[in-house]
Amino acid sequence: MAHRNDTPQRMDPVSTLLALTVTGLVTGCIYALTASGLVVTYTTSGIFNFAHGAVGMLAAFGYWQLLEKGMPTLPAFLLTVLVLAPLLGIVIERVLIRRLGNATLEVTLTVTMGLLLLLLAIANTVWDATTPRVLQPFFVGKQVTVATVVLTYHQLLIIAAAITVPLALWAFLRMTRTGIAMRAVVDDRELAALAGASPTRIGQLGWGIGSSLAAVAGILLAAQVELNATTLTLLVINGYAAAVVGRLTSLPLTITGGLVLGVLQSLALGYVTISWLNQVQVIIPMLILFVALLIAPPTRLRVGQLAPLVAPRVPSSRRSLGSTGAFLVLAAGIVAIIPSGQLGNVTHGAAVAIILLSLVPMVGYGGMVSLCQLTFAGIGAVAMAKVGGGPLGLVAAVLAPAAVGALLALPTLRLRGLYLSLATLAFGYAMDNAFFQNASVMTNNLGLPVPRPLGLDNDRGYLLFVVAVFAACAFGVLAMRRSTLGRRLVALGDSPAGCATLGMGIHVTKLVVFALSAGLAGLGGALLGGQQSVVGQSDFALLLSLTLLLMAVVWGVRTISGVFIAALAFELIPQLNGHLGPVGDSVLSLLVGLGAVGLGRSQNGIVGAVLSSPGLRRLPSLPHPRSHSDDVSREEVLTGAQG
Amino acid sequence: MLKVEEVSVRFGGVQAVAGMSLEAPPGRVTGLIGPNGAGKTTLFNVITGLQKPNTGRVLLGDRDLTKASTAKRARAGVGRTFQRLEVFGSLTVYDNVLLAAELAHVKNPSAAAHQLLERVGLGGFAAQQAGVLPTGMARLLELARALAGNPSVLLLDEPGSGLTEAECKALGDLLLSLTADGTAVLLVEHDMELVMRVCQHVYVLDFGQLLAEGSPAEVSANPAVQIAYLGAEEVSA
């Protein structure tokens, strides 16, 4: 991270070390603040807020706007942190989070990621991203020198905030009635409600406090680095690592994690000079996140966590064969009449459809939310570029990412749910910075040339080939779903505890689906590269990976037609940009964000909702089912005993 | 024979199970009853490896399973159903049982699945999605799924809840037929009519401790059991 107050140059080694450590501690304090907010919202609602950084970013822009309007610093700061940000948190809880009570992980993650994209799009629409803005630090120009280290008042304020905020939180949670009620809700939501606490109000309060902490961190961070929406939103991802060190529940461990992270980053920035490691300070948070996930004790299999679910029907082998044939005939007809100028876009869309298809077994069937699918796609493209466009290149484009997927799966086999998703996020983020931005991989800034496979130079022929590959892969995915592996995968997603009590070892299933999904994404990535001729680092960016996942989940990640339409929408929506003026650039993010936040209502996505046969819900019910055991009183039991 | 020896489980300040021992021999339905919160499900979780005990051992025959994973215990012959359902909701009813049969390496898993569904009375619902089944039917599905693994010990957590009286009677018959095959059944159930009918031996738990044990008639006549259920005042009245 490039700070404005960079490391002092030409100092003696001890002073340099001291200066780097202090700078790191200051950054660490911001991470600690951010992560504390994440922990508060997670423990009070059980939902990991991916948009936490975006809330902080929006608050920083709001604060900047108030200053621009002439409001003095302190009132503007207090208004933002104590009124506007908590209000935003409360609105988010009221409109989005409350509806997610029984939602699956893919839905809760998608909703908050959608919120991230939505807030980012709003910020980019209101505050043009190309205009540089500076948020002045507090007490500009004032500083003190401690030993040989110069500390600005702004940095001292950060340290003070990092000390007082957790202490205030600690006192609030232990010494006030509301705070104790909050802890009770965290321990047992239902029991706390029986004791008179209102989990709903507590949840609102948690989101209010969390947003307020995000605002403090966002404003302090913006004055340290730059007032840029994307930078601020993604920088706060570093707070995830600190929060995971605290296992999303412990504030002291979270703060320690934040401080260690800040110092390590600062030291790396100061001391690591090897060129190929020049991104190491960016990767450190993700390494810490990864290591923290791996060394954390395994989470216990929990029972009674099932959410009611109506999954779309799986077509029979005969039906899917017929559908594939019909699709190919229709596609061939359409390919023949597509205007030449549009061939590129459509081919791009078909390749994206293959990448999205790779999410179906992993996310749609297995409930394992991968946040790094484009990373695998990128590896496929690079493999094809390095090996060449022959059949061997195609094989490499599948096997290389499949091997990387299996390697990623090995250390993460014991992880489930959110932790598994965060591990894939850490991997994607690290690869983004260390692999795709590495000159020796991508050749140079002009990008890496990727050949078309099998010498398919004719655009129309190539499109037909990509569409045929999609159809074949889709047929394969459905066949897999009908197989034992598919049943194991779905069962694993539905009830890990149920699987374990049937004697099912989950490791092989997870390993296979990771490799299969990564290989499929790699194939899509290679075909995408072939269409573009050249791939660059931005083609596989983490934010784009999240956007694609959101598109898939919004349209229906459990169905082939859902991901196919998602890919079409992904290609078509940007075509609208030219007609929408200044809003155009953000329209994809806005629509995806809105779609994702609307998921609370239809968790199978748009296509899933349409395909769910009403017949499934009209089951012949048993006559006069008796009351559930939970309602049986001691008296009833004994009456029965005496009878 | 399943043996639980001196098992204790503590959740923070709450002693959920305190030094509990029990035996479930083959060919017998052993009842485990007690008021809500007595520790019955926690004990099931300890037996199946979903909950680590603070002290105590779980033995299946001569084999000490205390440190074995849940999956390993299942492969050793411990099957179970859940009080809070754990059916695979996105799979069909048939696929739920088929998967269990496949995992148990049954010779003809498809035929076995159909046969088991018929046996528990769900033959007509094979193609339905499990996630939309009413509670009672989902419990029967869990039972069929557990049976597909050919367990030597079957732990049933309130299987009668949500069933009609006729179905409950059929469930009782099924349990008795299982014991005739030599299966050890450990039954947690609030329906005392069912317990009285099928159990040969009953353990009563209260606040995590063994309150009484014996035949169903002995247990229901036990004053300590009556007080635990109704309170001292009602019993004396």
Side-chain angles (χ1 to χ4, degrees):
Chain A
M1 170 161 62
H3 292 275
R4 282 215 292 271
N5 21 20
D6 272 333
T7 315
Q9 300 296 312
R10 294 198 192 94
M11 289 165 70
D12 68 85
V14 176
S15 301
T16 306
L17 177 65
L18 202 61
L20 287 170
T21 307
V22 171
T23 309
L25 279 174
V26 172
T27 311
C29 285
I30 299 178
Y31 293 157
L33 279 171
T34 306
S36 303
L38 263 177
V39 168
V40 170
T41 49
Y42 181 75
T43 49
T44 48
S45 62
I47 293 191
F48 187 85
N49 184 14
F50 265 97
H52 190 75
V55 170
M57 172 276 295
L58 205 61
F61 272 94
Y63 168 68
W64 175 85
Q65 194 66 63
L66 290 175
L67 293 182
E68 286 292 297
K69 296 277 179 199
M71 190 179 272
T73 307
L74 188 63
F77 180 75
L78 293 178
L79 180 65
T80 309
V81 169
L82 297 180
V83 181
L84 299 179
L87 216 58
L88 179 62
I90 288 167
V91 169
I92 291 171
E93 195 281 337
R94 181 70 191 85
V95 177
L96 293 180
I97 306 303
R98 205 176 289 180
R99 287 197 272 134
L100 298 177
N102 282 326
T104 57
L105 178 73
E106 88 224 24
V107 170
T108 61
L109 288 187
T110 306
V111 167
T112 58
M113 275 191 262
L115 184 64
L116 179 154
L117 286 186
L118 191 64
L119 295 180
L120 199 55
I122 290 172
N124 281 331
T125 307
V126 178
W127 297 283
D128 175 21
T130 54
T131 310
R133 295 177 185 83
V134 174
L135 188 60
Q136 289 295 338
F138 293 95
F139 314 109
V140 183
K142 294 192 173 177
Q143 59 187 45
V144 290
T145 306
V146 183
T148 54
V149 180
V150 178
L151 274 172
T152 64
Y153 276 29
H154 182 83
Q155 288 173 313
L156 288 174
L157 184 69
I158 291 173
I159 296 170
I163 294 170
T164 52
V165 167
L167 279 178
L169 264 181
W170 182 87
F172 169 72
L173 291 173
R174 273 166 182 75
M175 295 178 183
T176 66
R177 200 179 170 80
T178 314
I180 291 167
M182 218 161 166
R183 285 168 55 212
V185 169
V186 172
D187 276 352
D188 191 323
R189 203 176 170 83
E190 288 168 12
L191 204 60
L194 285 175
S198 164
T200 308
R201 286 185 59 193
I202 295 292
Q204 263 187 346
L205 187 65
W207 278 77
I209 293 173
S211 295
S212 185
L213 290 176
V216 173
I219 292 169
L220 292 174
L221 196 58
Q224 282 272 104
V225 282
E226 57 178 327
L227 189 60
N228 175 287
T230 310
T231 310
L232 283 177
T233 301
L234 290 186
L235 269 181
V236 191
I237 285 181
N238 294 345
Y240 296 173
V244 170
V245 169
R247 304 211 68 204
L248 299 175
T249 48
S250 161
L251 277 177
L253 277 178
T254 297
I255 290 157
T256 311
L259 294 179
V260 170
L261 177 57
V263 171
L264 281 179
Q265 262 191 317
S266 178
L267 293 179
L269 189 67
Y271 291 118
V272 178
T273 51
I274 308 165
S275 65
W276 61 269
L277 274 177
N278 59 358
Q279 296 295 332
V280 74
Q281 78 280 4
V282 186
I283 301 168
I284 281 175
M286 293 303 120
L287 284 179
I288 289 186
L289 174 60
F290 208 74
V291 171
L293 287 168
L294 295 186
I295 61 174
T299 43
R300 198 161 61 85
L301 280 177
R302 298 183 70 184
V303 292
Q305 302 291 305
L306 285 182
L309 187 73
V310 182
R313 272 186 185 279
V314 185
S316 65
S317 51
R318 180 184 287 187
R319 196 187 165 113
S320 63
L321 191 63
S323 305
T324 307
F327 172 81
L328 279 174
V329 170
L330 189 68
I334 293 173
V335 167
I337 57 169
I338 287 176
S340 302
Q342 291 299 319
L343 282 173
N345 284 334
V346 181
T347 310
H348 195 271
V352 167
I354 297 173
I355 298 173
L356 291 184
L357 187 64
S358 73
L359 289 168
V360 175
M362 186 100 172
V363 186
Y365 299 159
M368 291 175 272
V369 183
S370 164
L371 305 177
C372 64
Q373 221 57 12
L374 267 188
T375 307
F376 296 130
I379 295 170
V382 171
M384 174 90 111
K386 302 288 179 191
V387 178
L392 263 184
L394 268 181
V395 172
V398 175
L399 290 187
V404 175
L407 279 177
L408 174 65
L410 276 177
T412 57
L413 284 175
R414 56 200 282 282
L415 299 178
R416 281 196 303 276
L418 174 64
Y419 288 139
L420 180 65
S421 300
L422 286 176
T424 60
L425 177 87
F427 175 72
Y429 193 73
M431 287 290 284
D432 218 8
N433 289 287
F435 189 73
F436 295 118
Q437 289 187 25
N438 194 318
S440 60
V441 175
M442 300 305 263
T443 313
N444 51 42
N445 287 338
L446 296 173
L448 180 70
V450 181
R452 281 190 180 177
L454 314 174
L456 289 163
D457 292 330
N458 178 288
D459 285 348
R460 218 169 283 279
Y462 187 59
L463 170 58
L464 200 57
F465 174 72
V466 178
V467 168
V469 170
F470 170 80
C473 292
F475 183 77
V477 166
L478 284 175
M480 186 278 287
R481 168 62 185 81
R482 289 188 299 267
S483 71
T484 306
L485 175 65
R487 282 188 283 278
R488 289 173 78 122
L489 195 53
V490 173
L492 191 60
D494 281 353
S495 168
C499 289
T501 51
L502 291 180
M504 184 175 131
I506 59 171
H507 292 178
V508 174
T509 307
K510 269 176 114 172
L511 203 67
V512 170
V513 77
F514 254 85
L516 193 139
S517 171
L520 201 49
L523 179 62
L527 297 181
L528 185 83
Q531 186 274 321
Q532 291 183 181
S533 307
V534 172
V535 291
Q537 58 191 46
S538 60
D539 288 320
F540 312 109
L542 188 68
L543 263 184
L544 199 56
S545 232
L546 300 186
T547 307
L548 278 176
L549 172 71
L550 262 52
M551 288 297 279
V553 178
V554 166
W555 282 97
V557 75
R558 289 166 196 271
T559 55
I560 304 296
S561 40
V563 293
F564 186 73
I565 296 175
L568 284 183
F570 182 76
E571 283 305 316
L572 287 177
I573 292 172
Q575 311 288 325
L576 302 172
N577 284 5
H579 309 285
L580 295 173
V583 195
D585 290 339
S586 305
V587 74
L588 179 64
S589 304
L590 275 170
L591 288 179
V592 173
L594 278 173
V597 299
L599 260 186
R601 293 198 188 280
S602 174
Q603 298 182 12
N604 278 327
I606 299 168
V607 172
V610 174
L611 287 183
S612 291
S613 159
L616 280 173
R617 298 191 182 88
R618 284 202 299 267
L619 268 181
S621 58
L622 293 168
H624 313 300
R626 295 186 307 183
S627 61
H628 285 211
S629 58
D630 291 353
D631 305 321
V632 177
S633 66
R634 290 174 176 227
E635 286 81 351
E636 284 173 299
V637 172
L638 192 65
T639 309
Q642 288 167 334
Chain B
M1 157 106 84
L2 173 76
K3 271 190 189 175
V4 173
E5 292 180 354
E6 294 292 323
V7 162
S8 295
V9 179
R10 176 176 278 279
F11 297 124
V14 178
Q15 187 78 47
V17 179
M20 180 67 192
S21 298
L22 63 77
E23 288 182 356
R28 183 176 94 176
V29 180
T30 306
L32 183 60
I33 65 168
N36 285 331
K40 307 179 296 286
T41 297
T42 304
L43 199 59
F44 265 27
N45 287 344
V46 169
I47 296 170
T48 48
L50 290 170
Q51 174 66 50
K52 208 174 149 188
N54 295 99
T55 60
R57 297 200 305 164
V58 176
L59 301 161
L60 187 63
D62 297 333
R63 195 169 165 193
D64 188 346
L65 293 178
T66 316
K67 288 184 179 159
S69 69
T70 301
K72 219 171 240 177
R73 291 175 203 224
R75 290 195 287 268
V78 181
R80 83 169 279 185
T81 67
F82 292 86
Q83 182 195 9
R84 297 178 78 172
L85 295 164
E86 292 286 340
V87 292
F88 305 131
S90 313
L91 292 179
T92 61
V93 167
Y94 166 70
D95 274 352
N96 264 265
V97 186
L98 176 65
L99 175 63
E102 285 170 340
L103 289 169
H105 304 293
V106 173
K107 224 174 198 178
N108 186 346
S110 175
H114 281 301
Q115 196 182 355
L116 279 166
L117 286 175
E118 288 296 336
R119 195 173 178 189
V120 300
L122 290 179
F125 299 92
Q128 298 284 34
Q129 198 175 11
V132 296
L133 288 180
T135 311
M137 292 171 76
R139 287 194 191 286
L140 293 175
L141 173 59
E142 276 204 350
L143 176 59
R145 199 178 66 178
L147 288 174
N150 287 323
S152 56
V153 179
L154 183 60
L155 280 60
L156 303 176
D157 203 343
E158 302 188 19
S161 168
L163 299 187
T164 63
E165 292 209 14
E167 283 159 347
C168 223
K169 188 178 173 303
L171 173 68
D173 294 341
L174 177 65
L175 296 186
L176 290 172
S177 73
L178 285 174
T179 54
D181 295 344
T183 309
V185 178
L186 188 57
L187 174 71
V188 166
E189 184 56 61
H190 280 305
D191 181 345
M192 292 308 290
E193 209 174 302
L194 180 63
V195 172
M196 294 285 280
R197 188 178 147 227
V198 301
C199 293
Q200 285 95 59
H201 193 85
V202 176
Y203 292 89
V204 186
L205 245 75
D206 196 23
F207 293 112
Q209 287 180 317
L210 181 66
L211 194 64
E213 67 169 303
S215 70
E218 287 166 355
V219 160
S220 58
N222 187 318
V225 176
Q226 293 184 355
I227 289 170
Y229 274 106
L230 287 181
E233 284 176 20
E234 283 82 350
V235 172
S236 59

